[in-house]
Amino acid sequence: MVSFTVGFAVILTMALLSASEGTDTCGQKKIIAQEFISNGYKVLAGAWPWHGALFIRNQRSHEYACGVTILTEKFVITAAHCTLDPNEGQRLPSGRVFIKVGQNNLDATEKYAQQHNIERIIRHDGYDVRTFEDDIALMKLYTEITFNSAVQPICLWQGDSSLSKVVGKIGHIVGWGRNELFGLPKDLYEVTVPIISKQDCIDSDPAHYDKFYHGTKTFCAGYVNGTSAGQIDSGGGLFLRIGNHWLLRGIVSNGKLDPNTLAINSKSYVTFTDVSNYLPWIASFVQISNFRNGGLANLLDIADCGKDSYPLGTPEELKRSLNQYPWLAIIEFINLNTRALEDICHGVLIHPKFLLTAAHCVLRKRESFIRNVRLNDYRSDTTTDIFEVNGQTIRTTADRIAVKGISVHPRYNDPKFTNNIALVKLGAAATQNPICLPLSESTLPSNKSFHIIGWKKSSRAEKPLIRNVVSLAQFDGCRQKYAGTNIQLDTTGGQVCSTYNHDDDDSSCSHYMGSAPFQYVKNGPLKGRYFLAAISSFDHTNCRRDDFSDVFTNVAHYADWIREKVKANE
């Protein structure tokens, strides 16, 4: 008998991580509910929060094609054959596909559903369309996934990846594949299947599996009783639970067709791509080590960075500023004439021993030099801050740490005002949590709310920490405006233009001190985390000139320089 095959993929996720590593951030369900249907179980929203749907755009419509599994807020994983045109077999361009996550019913408008376009499809170079070898692909999204109770990332396998360790274990397959009547259900459903040894799989049909079983790159799972992955469950999930986590082990790759019905033969085993074999390949594109960091990748791989003490989704304006931004610092200079300490600029703690600031803040020409940084401050005009919180009196005193050294970007002011960024090394490690830094390829997210924080250069006696909403300005218009004043902005991505309310009251306005940070919150699986977007660089001297946007240094543009300097000197 001639063997027929059709591609389809299941992703199984495994990560054996200890609680001490802070790994309660991936592979965990927030909602558990299901009802029995036929040879599987209909599942409710959030039961498999890392599973998503891949759609292919046609001329006037779109159709469901495969499943995907969430790795991070910017990456999902699927089968390579899912990224080919099902009719023509050609590679699909990224613009022809999109994904939905938080979706349970393919036809319904659901509360947690999110749609994301694809920026880049990364197929394994070794993928063979005839044998389904190396049937694995990554998709980088244009916009970031927002994690919530129904949308979570999966964990990746760690430790011994030998197939013998999982043979006999029961995996869970989820998807919208054909049921036993060859119909396509609109609701997500799951079935359970055991993982089969290599020998048992090949012996069941040598002619078929000799072609489609590829050593440690694949494994088989299933029964021979009609329970299997459906015909278009490609890229979906086969999940194992280890301890408190659900983990990814494989991707459904292909199965044998019944030559009479051309449907998947549910009395044969399914072949999976073994994801544990591809971890180095995945890691070359995705920072998988950062699953322990609140589920959000950050440049310096700091587990506790940017912690938000408020529940997920809390609007920034409802948060108290007190103790909310421990990474915010003031850089102090000593005046050589008066011997007095002066507050000159902001710094942002990005590492226990490093602050980020503007280059112009540390290259002052007048008779003063950098002395300390001050953390844990709220009112810059007082030595001790006193607050009443929930009927209790709280007193806080700022922490001073001596400066050990500075490193200015080598191309600062080339041309004028560009590359306005510097690192300050501290003489002792700070105890405050640093803010998270975006990765080097990051762009400012269009779906985030930005806020600038710090102290203003006002003439008022009281100088509390101020927070304002920041709006991104259209860069070309901003560039043209400053070009009229003979200032050329950086068109390579090193600068961004933004606006905020400069008013102190009805009669006065003021700018922030130099290098004021603007930041945003990214929702992780359990908590939100603050990321640094930019630091203020320069602005129009007249704060009433709303036609001139403020210019900020885009931190992500300098990620490689920051990481190199910190790693070399920590």
Side-chain angles (χ1 to χ4, degrees):
M1 179 179 293
V2 178
S3 295
F4 294 80
T5 63
V6 64
F8 61 102
V10 170
I11 301 187
L12 174 87
T13 321
M14 288 198 68
L16 296 176
L17 304 173
S18 66
S20 62
E21 292 178 299
T23 56
D24 293 336
T25 54
C26 64
Q28 290 194 319
K29 298 182 180 184
K30 311 301 178 186
I31 303 171
I32 301 175
Q34 61 187 22
E35 64 179 271
F36 182 73
I37 61 166
S38 187
N39 283 349
Y41 293 85
K42 179 180 176 181
V43 298
L44 300 184
W48 298 100
W50 36 83
H51 184 78
L54 173 66
F55 293 85
I56 297 176
R57 292 185 173 98
N58 299 314
Q59 288 185 344
R60 297 183 179 179
S61 62
H62 61 266
E63 60 180 349
Y64 169 74
C66 285
V68 300
T69 298
I70 301 170
L71 295 182
T72 71
E73 68 272 24
K74 286 283 283 187
F75 280 91
V76 297
I77 192 169
T78 188
H81 75 261
C82 289
T83 68
L84 305 182
D85 189 302
N87 299 315
E88 300 177 359
Q90 301 297 316
R91 293 189 172 196
L92 289 165
S94 58
R96 282 277 312 278
V97 295
F98 66 91
I99 67 160
K100 287 186 178 181
V101 296
Q103 186 85 19
N104 197 63
N105 184 294
L106 292 180
D107 288 343
T109 301
E110 298 186 333
K111 176 181 178 181
Y112 296 106
Q114 303 172 39
Q115 180 171 321
H116 298 272
N117 291 328
I118 308 303
E119 178 181 340
R120 182 186 178 192
I121 299 174
I122 307 168
R123 303 171 185 89
H124 195 284
D125 289 340
Y127 173 59
D128 189 323
V129 296
R130 298 166 302 169
T131 66
F132 294 95
E133 186 172 5
D134 297 318
D135 191 13
I136 188 169
L138 295 166
M139 291 185 173
K140 185 178 181 182
L141 311 181
Y142 263 116
T143 51
E144 294 180 349
I145 293 171
T146 300
F147 295 134
N148 53 50
S149 60
V151 180
Q152 298 281 303
I154 194 68
C155 299
L156 287 177
W157 191 279
Q158 289 192 0
D160 192 345
S161 61
S162 301
L163 182 62
S164 61
K165 300 294 183 181
V166 295
V167 168
K169 290 187 178 295
I170 301 298
H172 293 249
I173 299 173
V174 296
W176 292 275
R178 306 285 178 182
N179 58 26
E180 71 280 2
L181 298 177
F182 308 118
L184 179 63
K186 296 301 181 182
D187 291 304
L188 185 67
Y189 75 99
E190 68 172 284
V191 295
T192 56
V193 291
I195 295 176
I196 307 301
S197 71
K198 175 182 178 181
Q199 197 61 52
D200 286 345
C201 182
I202 293 177
D203 287 349
S204 70
D205 192 339
H208 176 82
Y209 293 108
D210 279 350
K211 180 179 180 180
F212 297 103
Y213 198 106
H214 303 290
T216 59
K217 296 180 178 182
T218 52
F219 65 86
C220 291
Y223 296 101
V224 290
N225 65 354
T227 300
S228 181
Q231 184 171 357
I232 56 170
D233 271 336
S234 297
L238 187 156
F239 306 103
L240 292 178
R241 183 172 183 174
I242 304 295
N244 294 324
H245 298 269
W246 289 89
L247 312 174
L248 173 66
R249 178 63 188 239
I251 300 175
V252 185
S253 178
N254 61 87
K256 187 177 180 182
L257 287 181
D258 186 317
N260 297 314
T261 64
L262 295 183
I264 288 292
N265 186 343
S266 59
K267 295 185 179 180
S268 63
Y269 298 124
V270 173
T271 306
F272 293 78
T273 300
D274 192 335
V275 175
S276 70
N277 184 76
Y278 293 89
L279 293 180
W281 177 78
I282 296 171
S284 68
F285 300 101
V286 187
Q287 287 194 262
I288 57 175
S289 63
N290 283 292
F291 278 116
R292 68 178 185 273
N293 297 334
L296 296 173
N298 64 85
L299 180 69
L300 300 180
D301 199 18
I302 297 176
D304 295 326
C305 67
K307 282 187 175 179
D308 185 0
S309 60
Y310 285 79
L312 284 175
T314 302
E316 200 69 12
E317 57 270 19
L318 298 183
K319 301 173 184 176
R320 296 176 60 93
S321 298
L322 178 64
N323 298 329
Q324 181 65 9
Y325 312 114
W327 43 85
L328 184 61
I330 293 176
I331 297 178
E332 295 180 328
F333 280 72
I334 186 166
N335 188 307
L336 296 181
N337 294 320
T338 65
R339 310 306 296 177
L341 289 174
E342 299 177 337
D343 296 345
I344 302 299
C345 279
H346 297 93
V348 189
L349 191 69
I350 61 169
H351 179 281
K353 288 191 174 182
F354 290 91
L355 266 73
L356 198 66
T357 190
H360 77 260
C361 288
V362 296
L363 295 177
R364 296 177 57 77
K365 295 180 180 180
R366 68 182 203 175
E367 294 182 346
S368 63
F369 68 89
I370 190 169
R371 180 68 174 269
N372 307 307
V373 301
R374 196 166 77 240
L375 292 152
N376 194 38
D377 207 349
Y378 179 77
R379 280 186 53 178
S380 63
D381 58 299
T382 61
T383 302
T384 301
D385 296 331
I386 303 175
F387 307 92
E388 293 289 332
V389 180
N390 297 327
Q392 293 185 335
T393 300
I394 298 177
R395 291 179 170 83
T396 63
T397 302
D399 299 327
R400 280 189 169 89
I401 303 177
V403 171
K404 186 175 182 178
I406 61 174
S407 179
V408 175
H409 194 279
R411 294 196 60 191
Y412 168 56
N413 245 1
D414 180 23
K416 189 176 182 180
F417 296 134
T418 61
N419 305 307
N420 190 8
I421 193 167
L423 285 166
V424 176
K425 186 173 183 181
L426 304 181
T431 58
Q432 288 80 8
N433 281 341
I435 196 169
C436 301
L437 292 184
L439 304 179
S440 57
E441 294 184 1
S442 300
T443 55
L444 290 180
S446 59
N447 60 341
K448 299 295 182 184
S449 174
F450 299 101
H451 289 80
I452 186 171
I453 59 172
W455 292 270
K456 283 195 167 185
K457 296 181 290 188
S458 70
S459 58
R460 291 186 172 188
E462 292 187 359
K463 298 185 183 300
L465 188 152
I466 300 294
R467 176 178 62 207
N468 284 104
V469 175
V470 176
S471 299
L472 294 177
Q474 206 274 337
F475 185 77
D476 285 341
C478 177
R479 179 181 58 80
Q480 293 171 12
K481 192 72 176 178
Y482 276 103
T485 65
N486 295 319
I487 296 175
Q488 302 300 319
L489 298 190
D490 180 6
T491 58
T492 66
Q495 292 173 321
V496 294
C497 295
S498 303
T499 61
Y500 64 88
N501 185 358
H502 296 85
D503 292 345
D504 300 319
D505 51 38
D506 293 337
S507 59
S508 67
C509 69
S510 59
H511 294 290
Y512 282 86
M513 291 194 307
S515 193
F518 85 72
Q519 58 194 26
Y520 59 95
V521 176
K522 291 171 68 172
N523 287 340
L526 299 178
K527 281 286 187 180
R529 294 187 183 273
Y530 285 92
F531 279 73
L532 180 62
I535 53 176
S536 61
S537 179
F538 68 92
D539 43 54
H540 197 283
T541 54
N542 183 351
C543 56
R544 294 295 189 194
R545 289 294 300 270
D546 293 336
D547 54 327
F548 279 88
S549 301
D550 289 26
V551 179
F552 291 75
T553 299
N554 181 14
V555 171
H557 185 74
Y558 298 94
D560 292 340
W561 177 78
I562 294 169
R563 180 170 50 204
E564 177 185 346
K565 288 293 182 182
V566 170
K567 295 303 181 184
N569 295 282
E570 62 182 345

